[in-house]
């Protein structure tokens, strides 16, 4: 009898262990704050599988996205390029179908997409939020883009500086833009930042995207062979909620920013909001004559690199990710507040232009 009880409790224990082991994988959280009443969704809208020229089965992309702290992905295999077709049948809707259930289990929002792949120019374009990918397999390039748009798709221009000989905004891009078929551009693709694309997005009110365009399995970021790339490029989308409808509304409204090589790239409004929600300055906790000490916290997952504005020798202040620093400064007045002006060097509001900010220390 005693033995039997022991056996039962052993079975219960093994059972409990199995349950906890089933969810034993861990996720690397990306701490970017929610801003301006929106939820900050971490997204990658460009990746490949064996269904085009990628080297992984589609479900692997969901596991990687979850581990990398993403909320949203789109698998965007090439429509016109299938080097594995001897082994894998050409079936444009199949990657999405294979992945849909697993994405639900891992709470990853999966957006149906594909890469329209034509010679440069016009180049490569991703169509996401589309419903029927085979319908985009057309002879004429403009037809493919128009059909994507008619399906409710969001079309963006991929890696715009990929082929230097055809670099630049051409008439074909103007036509797509004027028809409102083209809604965004990859300002970042893989390990490359395109400053001219950043400028086009600002001038033409297009949505900025930064995506991995990953083809290999993600085992680490050494696959990019770039020591500066220590994390996956991510598009932050500021959406009302985590649904496909809310995501699309946010993207059509241009509410995005890009995290790339420990830089944040985007419009001033959103970068400023991220900074304010991430960096908190305390009241002074100690004062000696006109010197005060206070705490400055960075709650984001980025190291924030600041330089004092308007000084001859650029005074640097680096706030490491998820950390608190002590700040010592002069407070000349007795009342009010101390304002310190900085430029955040790794928050790019335009090519080569950091975000101006003020640290405000309240004085009791
Ligand atoms: Zn491409
Ligand atoms: Zn691609």
């Amino acid at each position: 009898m005693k033995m039997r009880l022991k056996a039962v409790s052993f079975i219960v224990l093994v059972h409990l262990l199995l349950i906890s082991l089933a969810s034993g994988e861990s996720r690397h959280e990306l701490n970017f704050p929610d801003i301006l009443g929106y939820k900050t969704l971490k997204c990658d809208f460009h990746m490949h599988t064996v269904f085009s020229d990628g080297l992984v089965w589609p479900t692997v992309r969901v596991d990687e996205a979850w581990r990398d702290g993403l909320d949203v992905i789109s698998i965007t295999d090439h429509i016109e390029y299938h080097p594995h077709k001897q082994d894998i049948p050409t079936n444009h809707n199949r990657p999405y179908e294979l992945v849909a259930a697993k994405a639900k289990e891992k709470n990853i929002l999966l957006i149906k997409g594909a890469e329209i792949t034509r010679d440069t120019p016009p180049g490569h374009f991703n169509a996401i939020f589309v419903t029927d990918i085979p319908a985009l397999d057309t002879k004429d390039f403009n037809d493919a883009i128009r059909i994507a748009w008619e399906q409710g798709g969001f079309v963006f221009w991929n890696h715009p500086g990929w082929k230097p000989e055809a670099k630049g905004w051409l008439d074909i891009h103007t036509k797509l833009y004027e028809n409102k078929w083209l809604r965004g551009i990859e300002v970042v693709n893989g390990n490359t930042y395109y400053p001219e694309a950043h400028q086009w997005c600002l001038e033409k009110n297009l949505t900025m995207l930064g995506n991995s365009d990953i083809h290999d399995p993600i085992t680490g970021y050494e696959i990019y062979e770039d020591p500066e790339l220590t994390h996956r490029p991510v598009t932050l989308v500021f959406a009302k909620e985590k649904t496909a409808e809310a995501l699309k509304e946010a993207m059509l409204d241009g509410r995005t920013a890009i995290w790339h090589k420990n830089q944040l790239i985007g419009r001033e409004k959103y970068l400023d909001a991220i900074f304010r929600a991430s960096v908190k300055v305390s009241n002074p906790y100690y004062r000696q004559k006109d010197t005060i000490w206070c705490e400055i916290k960075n709650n984001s997952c980025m190291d924030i690199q600041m330089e004092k504005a308007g000084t001859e020798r650029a005074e640097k202040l680096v706030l490491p990710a998820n950390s608190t620093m002590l700040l010592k400064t002069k407070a000349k007045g007795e009342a009010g507040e101390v304002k310190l002006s900085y430029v955040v060097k790794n928050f790019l509001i335009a090519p080569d232009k950091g975000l101006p900010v003020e640290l405000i220390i309240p004085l009791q």
Side-chain angles (χ1 to χ4, degrees):
M1 187 66 184
K2 213 177 176 185
M3 280 299 287
R4 207 179 284 166
L5 249 180
K6 256 192 185 165
V8 168
S9 50
F10 179 72
I11 290 165
V12 169
L13 185 68
V14 167
H15 191 63
L16 283 172
L17 273 174
L18 279 177
I19 289 169
S20 59
L21 279 176
S23 56
E25 210 183 1
S26 72
R27 171 172 163 99
H28 177 77
E29 288 296 343
L30 304 179
N31 291 327
F32 286 104
D34 293 340
I35 56 163
L36 308 169
Y38 298 116
K39 209 172 160 40
T40 297
L41 299 176
K42 284 82 79 178
C43 315
D44 186 350
F45 299 109
H46 192 165
M47 61 192 74
H48 295 274
T49 77
V50 288
F51 282 81
S52 62
D53 56 346
L55 294 174
V56 304
W57 189 251
T59 50
V60 175
R61 294 297 181 214
V62 175
D63 294 331
E64 292 170 343
W66 188 79
R67 285 201 301 268
D68 280 353
L70 298 183
D71 301 305
V72 183
I73 61 166
S74 184
I75 293 176
T76 52
D77 279 309
H78 297 286
I79 293 177
E80 299 87 347
Y81 182 51
H82 287 261
H84 308 314
K85 63 176 173 241
Q86 304 283 5
D87 304 302
I88 308 279
T90 299
N91 185 340
H92 300 304
N93 285 325
R94 197 67 186 133
Y96 179 90
E97 291 166 5
L98 285 166
V99 158
K102 183 157 212 171
K104 285 206 175 87
E105 283 169 19
K106 294 215 152 168
N107 200 18
I108 299 286
L109 181 60
L110 178 69
I111 305 300
K112 197 170 206 176
E115 184 165 8
I116 298 165
T117 312
R118 305 296 170 109
D119 286 342
T120 308
H124 297 186
F125 294 79
N126 270 10
I128 59 171
F129 302 103
V130 288
T131 51
D132 179 16
I133 299 169
L136 310 180
D137 196 356
T138 59
K139 205 163 174 243
D140 182 77
F141 166 73
N142 284 302
D143 284 346
I145 303 286
R146 178 181 48 78
I147 293 165
W149 176 77
E150 284 169 358
Q151 288 184 10
F154 179 100
V155 174
F156 57 91
W157 183 7
N158 297 342
H159 43 73
W162 180 44
K163 295 227 171 141
E165 67 275 17
K167 211 171 179 178
W169 183 282
L170 305 170
D171 285 348
I172 183 118
H173 304 112
T174 301
K175 183 182 169 170
L176 301 180
Y177 174 69
E178 285 177 351
N179 284 338
K180 295 211 183 314
W181 293 345
L182 179 69
R183 303 309 294 250
I185 312 181
E186 277 186 340
V187 173
V188 166
N189 175 283
N191 65 348
T192 310
Y193 161 62
Y194 301 105
E196 57 279 79
H198 191 178
Q199 197 59 44
W200 293 333
C201 287
L202 292 170
E203 285 166 9
K204 299 171 196 295
N205 205 21
L206 288 162
T207 300
M208 301 180 200
L209 297 109
N211 299 311
S212 69
D213 196 3
I214 195 74
H215 288 69
D216 298 275
I218 301 180
T219 49
Y221 290 91
E222 62 278 6
I223 46 175
Y224 287 102
E225 295 175 351
D226 182 339
E228 281 182 52
L229 198 85
T230 53
H231 63 84
R232 179 172 181 152
V234 173
T235 304
L236 303 178
V237 180
F238 311 113
K240 286 176 187 149
E241 55 181 1
K242 188 181 165 184
T243 62
E245 295 71 33
L247 181 76
K248 191 162 111 182
E249 185 275 329
M251 292 177 74
L252 288 170
D253 194 36
R255 297 200 305 268
T256 64
I258 300 158
W259 182 42
H260 175 62
K261 292 187 180 177
N262 197 47
Q263 287 188 312
L264 209 60
I265 297 158
R267 289 192 161 73
E268 182 166 3
K269 182 181 173 183
Y270 303 117
L271 269 45
D272 182 65
I274 292 271
F275 179 85
R276 285 162 189 271
S278 302
V279 175
K280 300 288 176 196
V281 185
S282 75
N283 288 354
Y285 57 83
Y286 182 52
R287 183 167 190 155
Q288 272 290 5
K289 295 182 184 158
D290 61 353
T291 303
I292 55 168
W293 283 258
C294 60
E295 282 182 352
I296 176 164
K297 273 192 173 74
N298 172 10
N299 296 314
S300 80
C301 61
M302 287 181 66
D303 294 347
I304 297 180
Q305 296 156 358
M306 309 204 291
E307 259 179 36
K308 201 140 188 197
T311 51
E312 275 176 32
R313 248 181 341 113
E315 201 178 295
K316 289 196 169 81
L317 175 61
V318 178
L319 307 176
N322 303 305
S323 300
T324 301
M325 304 277 284
L326 301 181
L327 190 69
K328 176 185 164 190
T329 190
K330 296 273 179 222
K332 289 205 181 83
E334 294 81 31
E337 56 192 22
V338 175
K339 277 189 189 170
L340 303 173
S341 298
Y342 283 90
V343 174
V344 185
K345 301 302 276 185
N346 62 335
F347 279 37
L348 291 183
I349 57 171
D352 286 323
K353 190 167 182 226
L355 172 75
V357 293
E358 272 187 339
L359 296 180
I360 297 173
I361 308 166
L363 300 173
Q364 298 93 331

